[in-house]
Amino acid sequence: MFSRIFPFSMHIVRGHSMQPNIKDGDRVIVFNWAYLFSRPKIGDVVVFSGSDGKEYVKRITAAAAKNEFVVEGDNKEDSRKMPPVKKSAIIGRVIARY
Amino acid sequence: MKTVTGLFAALMRKSEKLLEPSLVYAHCDIPCGIYETNSMTTAADTVAKMVEKILDLKGMELVDRNNFVRMVHVKEEHAQKCKQELLILWTDYFKDEHLAKFPDLHTKVWKATKLCSQAKRTVDLKVAQQLKEAVADIARIFAETKK
């Protein structure tokens, strides 16, 4: 929750599941207030807290239930299945990479 | 999602010392069994092909120099990719039971990753061939573990 005090945050991406759009080592800028007053949309790339305490970057591909979303990597060869993510676990939307 | 390049990207990189960006993971560390050796094999083949092409370059025209730079860049990129793919197998896939069956696995992966670095530093067909063979050997071990 602390990160949401600030509207933007920067992160370094580790892993290959978002290739070719986000590569291992890329930096991303996240808008942490993106979903304060709106719902995440299919196609949004989001950073969220996983159940293991780590933070992940994935793309929303479907709505699983009310306020629960299916997330997947863009690289289907390296994208391992994750359980649906609750809106409350989503930290923000990736708005840029560099 | 926009891709930021140029001055703004450089400034953002500079600001990292101050802002300390945290890590986010583009994988989930759930052991799902999705591992493969095609990527590292293709990367090693690409390195060898680039070495061949670089050695075949003869002219010094602008277009030749442009091609030279592009080939070196591709060689560098794929040698790094090959190393990453090897390390993913090594750290995430291979288990104790595989080591028991292939006791020299650590040494083989270590030498293969060293060859990736050597392939970056050099333009040497022999090194490229050694890398292809080392990768093929680890791919063979990977296939054996799947039986």
PDB file of all heavy atoms in Angstrom, chain B residues 96-119:
ATOM      1  N   ASP B  96      18.475 -32.267  -8.234  1.00  0.00           N
ATOM      2  CA  ASP B  96      19.487 -33.179  -7.670  1.00  0.00           C
ATOM      3  C   ASP B  96      19.527 -34.527  -8.392  1.00  0.00           C
ATOM      4  O   ASP B  96      20.586 -35.094  -8.631  1.00  0.00           O
ATOM      5  CB  ASP B  96      19.206 -33.404  -6.180  1.00  0.00           C
ATOM      6  CG  ASP B  96      19.554 -32.170  -5.360  1.00  0.00           C
ATOM      7  OD1 ASP B  96      20.263 -31.298  -5.892  1.00  0.00           O
ATOM      8  OD2 ASP B  96      19.114 -32.086  -4.204  1.00  0.00           O
ATOM      9  N   GLU B  97      18.344 -35.042  -8.731  1.00  0.00           N
ATOM     10  CA  GLU B  97      18.305 -36.364  -9.389  1.00  0.00           C
ATOM     11  C   GLU B  97      18.955 -36.315 -10.775  1.00  0.00           C
ATOM     12  O   GLU B  97      19.540 -37.289 -11.234  1.00  0.00           O
ATOM     13  CB  GLU B  97      16.878 -36.912  -9.464  1.00  0.00           C
ATOM     14  CG  GLU B  97      15.876 -36.067 -10.229  1.00  0.00           C
ATOM     15  CD  GLU B  97      15.027 -35.210  -9.312  1.00  0.00           C
ATOM     16  OE1 GLU B  97      15.551 -34.739  -8.277  1.00  0.00           O
ATOM     17  OE2 GLU B  97      13.839 -35.005  -9.640  1.00  0.00           O
ATOM     18  N   HIS B  98      18.871 -35.155 -11.423  1.00  0.00           N
ATOM     19  CA  HIS B  98      19.535 -35.013 -12.722  1.00  0.00           C
ATOM     20  C   HIS B  98      21.050 -34.983 -12.535  1.00  0.00           C
ATOM     21  O   HIS B  98      21.796 -35.549 -13.331  1.00  0.00           O
ATOM     22  CB  HIS B  98      19.082 -33.728 -13.422  1.00  0.00           C
ATOM     23  CG  HIS B  98      17.604 -33.657 -13.642  1.00  0.00           C
ATOM     24  ND1 HIS B  98      16.897 -32.470 -13.576  1.00  0.00           N
ATOM     25  CD2 HIS B  98      16.686 -34.629 -13.897  1.00  0.00           C
ATOM     26  CE1 HIS B  98      15.616 -32.713 -13.801  1.00  0.00           C
ATOM     27  NE2 HIS B  98      15.461 -34.020 -13.991  1.00  0.00           N
ATOM     28  N   LEU B  99      21.475 -34.301 -11.459  1.00  0.00           N
ATOM     29  CA  LEU B  99      22.916 -34.233 -11.170  1.00  0.00           C
ATOM     30  C   LEU B  99      23.475 -35.620 -10.833  1.00  0.00           C
ATOM     31  O   LEU B  99      24.604 -35.939 -11.196  1.00  0.00           O
ATOM     32  CB  LEU B  99      23.166 -33.312  -9.985  1.00  0.00           C
ATOM     33  CG  LEU B  99      23.555 -31.881 -10.298  1.00  0.00           C
ATOM     34  CD1 LEU B  99      23.722 -31.095  -9.014  1.00  0.00           C
ATOM     35  CD2 LEU B  99      24.841 -31.822 -11.115  1.00  0.00           C
ATOM     36  N   ALA B 100      22.660 -36.407 -10.145  1.00  0.00           N
ATOM     37  CA  ALA B 100      23.117 -37.755  -9.790  1.00  0.00           C
ATOM     38  C   ALA B 100      23.352 -38.573 -11.053  1.00  0.00           C
ATOM     39  O   ALA B 100      24.292 -39.370 -11.139  1.00  0.00           O
ATOM     40  CB  ALA B 100      22.074 -38.427  -8.902  1.00  0.00           C
ATOM     41  N   LYS B 101      22.484 -38.349 -12.040  1.00  0.00           N
ATOM     42  CA  LYS B 101      22.607 -39.092 -13.298  1.00  0.00           C
ATOM     43  C   LYS B 101      23.683 -38.497 -14.210  1.00  0.00           C
ATOM     44  O   LYS B 101      24.346 -39.221 -14.957  1.00  0.00           O
ATOM     45  CB  LYS B 101      21.246 -39.066 -14.017  1.00  0.00           C
ATOM     46  CG  LYS B 101      21.070 -40.171 -15.039  1.00  0.00           C
ATOM     47  CD  LYS B 101      19.639 -40.170 -15.553  1.00  0.00           C
ATOM     48  CE  LYS B 101      19.514 -41.082 -16.754  1.00  0.00           C
ATOM     49  NZ  LYS B 101      18.205 -40.924 -17.406  1.00  0.00           N
ATOM     50  N   PHE B 102      23.844 -37.188 -14.144  1.00  0.00           N
ATOM     51  CA  PHE B 102      24.849 -36.504 -14.987  1.00  0.00           C
ATOM     52  C   PHE B 102      25.760 -35.684 -14.065  1.00  0.00           C
ATOM     53  O   PHE B 102      25.587 -34.459 -13.928  1.00  0.00           O
ATOM     54  CB  PHE B 102      24.158 -35.597 -16.007  1.00  0.00           C
ATOM     55  CG  PHE B 102      23.201 -36.309 -16.901  1.00  0.00           C
ATOM     56  CD1 PHE B 102      21.839 -36.310 -16.626  1.00  0.00           C
ATOM     57  CD2 PHE B 102      23.652 -37.017 -18.007  1.00  0.00           C
ATOM     58  CE1 PHE B 102      20.944 -36.979 -17.433  1.00  0.00           C
ATOM     59  CE2 PHE B 102      22.763 -37.688 -18.829  1.00  0.00           C
ATOM     60  CZ  PHE B 102      21.402 -37.677 -18.537  1.00  0.00           C
ATOM     61  N   PRO B 103      26.709 -36.322 -13.412  1.00  0.00           N
ATOM     62  CA  PRO B 103      27.512 -35.625 -12.396  1.00  0.00           C
ATOM     63  C   PRO B 103      28.349 -34.466 -12.931  1.00  0.00           C
ATOM     64  O   PRO B 103      28.752 -33.595 -12.152  1.00  0.00           O
ATOM     65  CB  PRO B 103      28.415 -36.731 -11.832  1.00  0.00           C
ATOM     66  CG  PRO B 103      28.232 -37.926 -12.683  1.00  0.00           C
ATOM     67  CD  PRO B 103      27.037 -37.740 -13.546  1.00  0.00           C
ATOM     68  N   ASP B 104      28.606 -34.451 -14.228  1.00  0.00           N
ATOM     69  CA  ASP B 104      29.407 -33.340 -14.787  1.00  0.00           C
ATOM     70  C   ASP B 104      28.526 -32.197 -15.309  1.00  0.00           C
ATOM     71  O   ASP B 104      29.012 -31.311 -16.010  1.00  0.00           O
ATOM     72  CB  ASP B 104      30.339 -33.848 -15.889  1.00  0.00           C
ATOM     73  CG  ASP B 104      29.575 -34.599 -16.966  1.00  0.00           C
ATOM     74  OD1 ASP B 104      28.346 -34.805 -16.790  1.00  0.00           O
ATOM     75  OD2 ASP B 104      30.195 -34.969 -17.975  1.00  0.00           O
ATOM     76  N   LEU B 105      27.252 -32.223 -14.935  1.00  0.00           N
ATOM     77  CA  LEU B 105      26.317 -31.206 -15.446  1.00  0.00           C
ATOM     78  C   LEU B 105      26.741 -29.774 -15.078  1.00  0.00           C
ATOM     79  O   LEU B 105      26.742 -28.879 -15.927  1.00  0.00           O
ATOM     80  CB  LEU B 105      24.910 -31.485 -14.907  1.00  0.00           C
ATOM     81  CG  LEU B 105      23.796 -30.568 -15.406  1.00  0.00           C
ATOM     82  CD1 LEU B 105      23.636 -30.647 -16.917  1.00  0.00           C
ATOM     83  CD2 LEU B 105      22.481 -30.912 -14.728  1.00  0.00           C
ATOM     84  N   HIS B 106      27.128 -29.582 -13.810  1.00  0.00           N
ATOM     85  CA  HIS B 106      27.550 -28.241 -13.378  1.00  0.00           C
ATOM     86  C   HIS B 106      28.702 -27.736 -14.251  1.00  0.00           C
ATOM     87  O   HIS B 106      28.695 -26.603 -14.720  1.00  0.00           O
ATOM     88  CB  HIS B 106      28.010 -28.257 -11.920  1.00  0.00           C
ATOM     89  CG  HIS B 106      26.880 -28.233 -10.933  1.00  0.00           C
ATOM     90  ND1 HIS B 106      25.639 -27.722 -11.225  1.00  0.00           N
ATOM     91  CD2 HIS B 106      26.807 -28.661  -9.649  1.00  0.00           C
ATOM     92  CE1 HIS B 106      24.848 -27.832 -10.174  1.00  0.00           C
ATOM     93  NE2 HIS B 106      25.533 -28.407  -9.192  1.00  0.00           N
ATOM     94  N   THR B 107      29.676 -28.595 -14.436  1.00  0.00           N
ATOM     95  CA  THR B 107      30.855 -28.208 -15.228  1.00  0.00           C
ATOM     96  C   THR B 107      30.453 -27.901 -16.668  1.00  0.00           C
ATOM     97  O   THR B 107      30.934 -26.922 -17.261  1.00  0.00           O
ATOM     98  CB  THR B 107      31.899 -29.347 -15.207  1.00  0.00           C
ATOM     99  OG1 THR B 107      32.101 -29.733 -13.862  1.00  0.00           O
ATOM    100  CG2 THR B 107      33.217 -28.920 -15.827  1.00  0.00           C
ATOM    101  N   LYS B 108      29.552 -28.713 -17.209  1.00  0.00           N
ATOM    102  CA  LYS B 108      29.144 -28.509 -18.606  1.00  0.00           C
ATOM    103  C   LYS B 108      28.414 -27.175 -18.772  1.00  0.00           C
ATOM    104  O   LYS B 108      28.670 -26.446 -19.737  1.00  0.00           O
ATOM    105  CB  LYS B 108      28.242 -29.668 -19.060  1.00  0.00           C
ATOM    106  CG  LYS B 108      29.038 -30.918 -19.360  1.00  0.00           C
ATOM    107  CD  LYS B 108      28.191 -32.012 -19.935  1.00  0.00           C
ATOM    108  CE  LYS B 108      29.113 -33.142 -20.364  1.00  0.00           C
ATOM    109  NZ  LYS B 108      28.449 -34.258 -20.976  1.00  0.00           N
ATOM    110  N   VAL B 109      27.515 -26.879 -17.852  1.00  0.00           N
ATOM    111  CA  VAL B 109      26.780 -25.609 -17.960  1.00  0.00           C
ATOM    112  C   VAL B 109      27.738 -24.434 -17.761  1.00  0.00           C
ATOM    113  O   VAL B 109      27.701 -23.451 -18.507  1.00  0.00           O
ATOM    114  CB  VAL B 109      25.619 -25.543 -16.932  1.00  0.00           C
ATOM    115  CG1 VAL B 109      24.942 -24.175 -16.966  1.00  0.00           C
ATOM    116  CG2 VAL B 109      24.592 -26.630 -17.213  1.00  0.00           C
ATOM    117  N   TRP B 110      28.616 -24.598 -16.778  1.00  0.00           N
ATOM    118  CA  TRP B 110      29.581 -23.531 -16.498  1.00  0.00           C
ATOM    119  C   TRP B 110      30.444 -23.255 -17.728  1.00  0.00           C
ATOM    120  O   TRP B 110      30.638 -22.098 -18.129  1.00  0.00           O
ATOM    121  CB  TRP B 110      30.450 -23.960 -15.302  1.00  0.00           C
ATOM    122  CG  TRP B 110      31.500 -22.978 -14.916  1.00  0.00           C
ATOM    123  CD1 TRP B 110      31.313 -21.698 -14.504  1.00  0.00           C
ATOM    124  CD2 TRP B 110      32.916 -23.208 -14.904  1.00  0.00           C
ATOM    125  NE1 TRP B 110      32.527 -21.114 -14.228  1.00  0.00           N
ATOM    126  CE2 TRP B 110      33.529 -22.019 -14.469  1.00  0.00           C
ATOM    127  CE3 TRP B 110      33.714 -24.304 -15.203  1.00  0.00           C
ATOM    128  CZ2 TRP B 110      34.903 -21.893 -14.338  1.00  0.00           C
ATOM    129  CZ3 TRP B 110      35.087 -24.189 -15.075  1.00  0.00           C
ATOM    130  CH2 TRP B 110      35.672 -22.994 -14.649  1.00  0.00           C
ATOM    131  N   LYS B 111      30.935 -24.325 -18.350  1.00  0.00           N
ATOM    132  CA  LYS B 111      31.796 -24.146 -19.535  1.00  0.00           C
ATOM    133  C   LYS B 111      30.994 -23.559 -20.706  1.00  0.00           C
ATOM    134  O   LYS B 111      31.507 -22.743 -21.465  1.00  0.00           O
ATOM    135  CB  LYS B 111      32.420 -25.485 -19.936  1.00  0.00           C
ATOM    136  CG  LYS B 111      33.542 -25.890 -18.988  1.00  0.00           C
ATOM    137  CD  LYS B 111      34.304 -27.086 -19.477  1.00  0.00           C
ATOM    138  CE  LYS B 111      35.506 -27.329 -18.575  1.00  0.00           C
ATOM    139  NZ  LYS B 111      36.194 -28.577 -18.859  1.00  0.00           N
ATOM    140  N   ALA B 112      29.758 -23.989 -20.848  1.00  0.00           N
ATOM    141  CA  ALA B 112      28.921 -23.469 -21.948  1.00  0.00           C
ATOM    142  C   ALA B 112      28.669 -21.968 -21.766  1.00  0.00           C
ATOM    143  O   ALA B 112      28.740 -21.200 -22.731  1.00  0.00           O
ATOM    144  CB  ALA B 112      27.595 -24.223 -22.007  1.00  0.00           C
ATOM    145  N   THR B 113      28.406 -21.554 -20.517  1.00  0.00           N
ATOM    146  CA  THR B 113      28.173 -20.118 -20.292  1.00  0.00           C
ATOM    147  C   THR B 113      29.454 -19.316 -20.514  1.00  0.00           C
ATOM    148  O   THR B 113      29.431 -18.197 -21.006  1.00  0.00           O
ATOM    149  CB  THR B 113      27.612 -19.841 -18.882  1.00  0.00           C
ATOM    150  OG1 THR B 113      28.469 -20.452 -17.925  1.00  0.00           O
ATOM    151  CG2 THR B 113      26.216 -20.385 -18.717  1.00  0.00           C
ATOM    152  N   LYS B 114      30.579 -19.943 -20.156  1.00  0.00           N
ATOM    153  CA  LYS B 114      31.880 -19.283 -20.424  1.00  0.00           C
ATOM    154  C   LYS B 114      32.072 -19.112 -21.934  1.00  0.00           C
ATOM    155  O   LYS B 114      32.614 -18.102 -22.395  1.00  0.00           O
ATOM    156  CB  LYS B 114      33.023 -20.141 -19.868  1.00  0.00           C
ATOM    157  CG  LYS B 114      33.121 -20.124 -18.363  1.00  0.00           C
ATOM    158  CD  LYS B 114      34.168 -19.116 -17.949  1.00  0.00           C
ATOM    159  CE  LYS B 114      34.288 -19.041 -16.448  1.00  0.00           C
ATOM    160  NZ  LYS B 114      34.737 -17.722 -16.031  1.00  0.00           N
ATOM    161  N   LEU B 115      31.647 -20.117 -22.687  1.00  0.00           N
ATOM    162  CA  LEU B 115      31.778 -20.031 -24.149  1.00  0.00           C
ATOM    163  C   LEU B 115      30.906 -18.913 -24.718  1.00  0.00           C
ATOM    164  O   LEU B 115      31.273 -18.283 -25.713  1.00  0.00           O
ATOM    165  CB  LEU B 115      31.406 -21.375 -24.797  1.00  0.00           C
ATOM    166  CG  LEU B 115      32.490 -22.447 -24.748  1.00  0.00           C
ATOM    167  CD1 LEU B 115      31.906 -23.817 -25.108  1.00  0.00           C
ATOM    168  CD2 LEU B 115      33.647 -22.109 -25.700  1.00  0.00           C
ATOM    169  N   CYS B 116      29.756 -18.680 -24.084  1.00  0.00           N
ATOM    170  CA  CYS B 116      28.902 -17.554 -24.521  1.00  0.00           C
ATOM    171  C   CYS B 116      29.675 -16.247 -24.400  1.00  0.00           C
ATOM    172  O   CYS B 116      29.653 -15.408 -25.300  1.00  0.00           O
ATOM    173  CB  CYS B 116      27.636 -17.486 -23.679  1.00  0.00           C
ATOM    174  SG  CYS B 116      26.523 -18.865 -23.911  1.00  0.00           S
ATOM    175  N   SER B 117      30.349 -16.090 -23.271  1.00  0.00           N
ATOM    176  CA  SER B 117      31.140 -14.865 -23.069  1.00  0.00           C
ATOM    177  C   SER B 117      32.286 -14.793 -24.072  1.00  0.00           C
ATOM    178  O   SER B 117      32.576 -13.730 -24.621  1.00  0.00           O
ATOM    179  CB  SER B 117      31.714 -14.832 -21.651  1.00  0.00           C
ATOM    180  OG  SER B 117      30.682 -14.943 -20.713  1.00  0.00           O
ATOM    181  N   GLN B 118      32.926 -15.945 -24.287  1.00  0.00           N
ATOM    182  CA  GLN B 118      34.055 -15.981 -25.242  1.00  0.00           C
ATOM    183  C   GLN B 118      33.573 -15.641 -26.658  1.00  0.00           C
ATOM    184  O   GLN B 118      34.260 -14.960 -27.404  1.00  0.00           O
ATOM    185  CB  GLN B 118      34.687 -17.371 -25.220  1.00  0.00           C
ATOM    186  CG  GLN B 118      36.155 -17.349 -25.584  1.00  0.00           C
ATOM    187  CD  GLN B 118      36.774 -18.737 -25.518  1.00  0.00           C
ATOM    188  OE1 GLN B 118      36.262 -19.631 -24.834  1.00  0.00           O
ATOM    189  NE2 GLN B 118      37.871 -18.928 -26.228  1.00  0.00           N
ATOM    190  N   ALA B 119      32.372 -16.117 -26.976  1.00  0.00           N
ATOM    191  CA  ALA B 119      31.817 -15.847 -28.313  1.00  0.00           C
ATOM    192  C   ALA B 119      31.538 -14.354 -28.494  1.00  0.00           C
ATOM    193  O   ALA B 119      31.596 -13.837 -29.610  1.00  0.00           O
ATOM    194  CB  ALA B 119      30.530 -16.643 -28.508  1.00  0.00           C
TER     195      ALA B 119
END
